[in-house]
Amino acid sequence: MAGDPARNLMMSRKMSVQEPPVLHGKIGSLEHESPVRASILANVDKAFDRQVAFLSSLVRCKSLRGLERGVQEVVEAALRERGFDVRRVGIDRALIGKHPAFSPATIDYDETWNVVGVKEPEVAGGRSLALNAHVDVVPAGDAGRWSLDPFAGVRAGDWLYGRGAGDMKAGLSALIFAMDAIEAAELSLTAPVQIQSVVEEEVTGNGAAAMLHAGYVADAVLIPEPTDETLVRANSGVIKFRITLSGVPAHPREIGVGVSAIDAAFRIMSHLRRLEHRWNEEKGNHPGFPDVANPAALTIGTIAGGEWPASLPSSCSFAGRIGFYPGDDQHERVREFERFVAEAVEQDEVLRSCPAPVVEWVGVIQAGYALEPGTEAEASLARAHEAARSAGSSLGSAIMACYLDSAIFAVHGDIPSLVYGPAAENIHAIDERVNLPSLLRVTKTIALFVAEWCGTRSMSIK
């Protein structure tokens, strides 16, 4: 289809299509025509060293929040080289508070954008697919504690090290090279395919929200987050907050008349542990979550306070996140959090003597989602997963007590959203690394899944 790619993709979900001369059916299954599968898998193997080199180049791009331009330019060039129709999709701050998929942000987005590459089929008839990965990464912390430079992208044996190697630049490389393998097997797809390289997943989810708002939808979404080669059955809803405490400053000789804002902050943190416990007690009401140790998972990620070593500090601010359950209204959870903080202050004599704390919302405010069993997308991925392994293995599933961009597409777009990717260790920690044999298997799985889901025909068919 000609014209605007986003509009075309929206239409592809609604229009009836003619049956094309699709050469291959259940490409991922063990019953399909084996030479086709063998060709796709062999081409993943042939290109894997190039894939690892490409992954290293992505890791070397220090794509911290607001600094994603470099990595997006690398992705943009890679997609153009492969014949995708490539566009940049910006994030409109005016949509925050108006469109339900967007969350509060603390930065402008003038130098931040998504990259999307679209390939339309010559003959349409299959099911459209969005392949999504985020390129933003969390800070590396003290580089001196890493075994290797956190942004060197160094391979050591079966592992590739670096911040973002697992979460989730390896997954992005799998998407691109899976598509390469299909083309190298001289197959063309019979449905539109997108590769979305998005920002802001680690903070707000607004990158994925911008893709949805711009109309980049499909019949299914696949996001290769590091999941140890299992399918995410559900993920937690998440809200991110900042609380600022004002103390009663004083000189050390008059310490009895003052209140340390830092001490007050720690008192609030202690109270929030009770809220975490309360929300964790609800897990028995949600399928799959009783086996999750801490689905609410309160974390305090940053703290800053004080003005002078020899004074009781006047102010202290800390930020963190807390989780809840699929089906919960995230805005009601926000209100519950605010009520809890107000009640905790009222019941705490020390906190009552200080100005009221200020609660702000500084990141993702998003519901969780659950992938209902039995979707055609899951069945297709399961066949691909089994077929990509010489010994064969059934596709397992797991609960993730964290935010995932899949929630944007599932909750706000009503799109089946599959989260499935390679094994990785130490994500968000020291010596993050991705397992390369696992990445190879996942790339093969994704290639087979794309081929089956979208449908294929030989390039020789005209």
Side-chain angles (χ1 to χ4, degrees):
M1 289 180 276
D4 182 71
R7 182 175 181 274
N8 291 341
L9 289 162
M10 286 190 287
M11 290 176 63
S12 74
R13 297 192 74 202
K14 300 175 182 178
M15 63 187 291
S16 60
V17 294
Q18 297 179 347
E19 288 295 326
V22 178
L23 182 63
H24 309 293
K26 292 184 178 179
I27 199 79
S29 71
L30 297 175
E31 295 78 25
H32 82 284
E33 192 175 347
S34 59
V36 177
R37 180 183 72 181
S39 180
I40 292 174
L41 298 182
N43 281 295
V44 174
D45 284 323
K46 288 177 186 177
F48 192 63
D49 284 343
R50 294 199 304 276
Q51 181 179 346
V52 173
F54 178 72
L55 172 56
S56 293
S57 74
L58 296 179
V59 174
R60 287 194 293 272
C61 296
K62 196 174 182 178
S63 51
L64 299 167
R65 191 185 195 197
L67 301 176
E68 301 96 343
R69 171 190 284 270
V71 72
Q72 292 292 59
E73 289 176 344
V74 170
V75 175
E76 194 172 38
L79 294 178
R80 288 193 191 283
E81 179 185 349
R82 289 162 167 83
F84 285 84
D85 180 359
V86 181
R87 296 198 176 190
R88 295 179 177 181
V89 178
I91 303 173
D92 184 357
R93 280 185 60 101
L95 293 168
I96 296 172
K98 297 179 180 178
H99 190 289
F102 286 80
S103 293
T106 57
I107 64 169
D108 63 50
Y109 292 123
D110 294 344
E111 296 297 319
T112 298
W113 61 81
N114 302 319
V115 168
V116 58
V118 180
K119 276 194 176 181
E120 296 284 351
E122 291 185 4
V123 179
R127 296 165 294 196
S128 60
L129 181 64
L131 303 169
N132 172 289
H134 70 85
V135 290
D136 55 311
V137 301
V138 302
D142 182 359
R145 297 181 61 191
W146 287 65
S147 302
L148 301 162
D149 183 331
F151 292 101
V154 174
R155 180 176 185 172
D158 284 342
W159 300 87
L160 189 139
Y161 287 77
R163 173 60 81 231
D167 187 16
M168 63 168 296
K169 293 176 178 179
L172 177 57
S173 80
L175 300 180
I176 293 173
F177 280 80
M179 291 289 290
D180 284 355
I182 294 170
E183 184 167 332
E186 298 186 343
L187 299 169
S188 60
L189 299 174
T190 61
V193 176
Q194 315 164 42
I195 294 182
Q196 303 177 0
S197 177
V198 303
V199 298
E200 282 289 283
E201 190 272 352
E202 296 290 3
V203 185
T204 64
N206 287 344
M211 297 305 302
L212 183 66
H213 179 262
Y216 288 92
V217 296
D219 293 316
V221 175
L222 174 68
I223 303 180
E225 289 274 11
T227 67
D228 295 328
E229 302 178 50
T230 61
L231 175 67
V232 174
R233 178 62 60 201
N235 81 300
S236 299
V238 173
I239 52 179
K240 292 181 179 176
F241 58 86
R242 179 169 59 224
I243 300 179
T244 300
L245 284 301
S246 296
V248 180
H251 189 280
R253 69 182 184 182
E254 299 173 327
I255 195 169
V257 301
V259 176
S260 162
I262 293 175
D263 289 345
F266 280 110
R267 294 181 78 90
I268 286 282
M269 291 180 202
S270 179
H271 290 305
L272 287 176
R273 291 298 172 193
R274 292 191 288 110
L275 181 64
E276 176 188 40
H277 178 75
R278 179 189 300 175
W279 287 5
N280 275 331
E281 287 185 324
E282 300 175 18
K283 66 182 181 178
N285 301 325
H286 301 272
F289 281 86
D291 296 328
V292 179
N294 186 3
L298 170 71
T299 61
I300 306 301
T302 64
I303 184 169
E307 302 78 34
W308 188 252
S311 302
L312 285 185
S314 174
S315 65
C316 182
S317 179
F318 64 91
R321 58 85 76 191
I322 191 168
F324 46 96
Y325 303 94
D328 292 353
D329 184 317
Q330 67 270 31
H331 301 293
E332 178 53 39
R333 288 298 192 179
V334 163
R335 290 188 287 270
E336 186 177 352
F337 185 97
E338 291 173 337
R339 288 194 300 269
F340 179 88
V341 171
E343 291 168 2
V345 170
E346 182 61 30
Q347 296 165 7
D348 188 305
E349 183 178 357
V350 173
L351 294 176
R352 282 203 314 272
S353 66
C354 301
V358 176
V359 179
E360 300 172 273
W361 301 101
V362 295
V364 67
I365 296 178
Q366 191 57 248
Y369 88 104
L371 177 67
E372 293 299 325
T375 66
E376 292 183 21
E378 179 179 342
S380 181
L381 181 64
R383 286 190 291 269
H385 173 91
E386 183 177 354
R389 288 148 183 77
S390 56
S393 64
S394 59
L395 177 64
S397 63
I399 305 291
M400 277 201 170
C402 62
Y403 168 78
L404 297 168
D405 271 347
S406 50
I408 298 288
F409 298 100
V411 174
H412 302 286
D414 194 27
I415 302 171
S417 300
L418 308 174
V419 180
Y420 168 92
E425 295 180 351
N426 306 322
I427 60 175
H428 289 215
I430 304 298
D431 285 345
E432 178 179 349
R433 62 183 190 169
V434 64
N435 182 264
L436 297 178
S438 176
L439 177 60
L440 178 62
R441 291 190 296 270
V442 163
T443 305
K444 291 179 176 180
T445 298
I446 292 173
L448 295 179
F449 168 71
V450 172
E452 174 174 323
W453 181 257
C454 297
T456 60
R457 59 198 298 270
S458 293
M459 289 183 178
S460 59
I461 295 178
K462 298 296 184 183

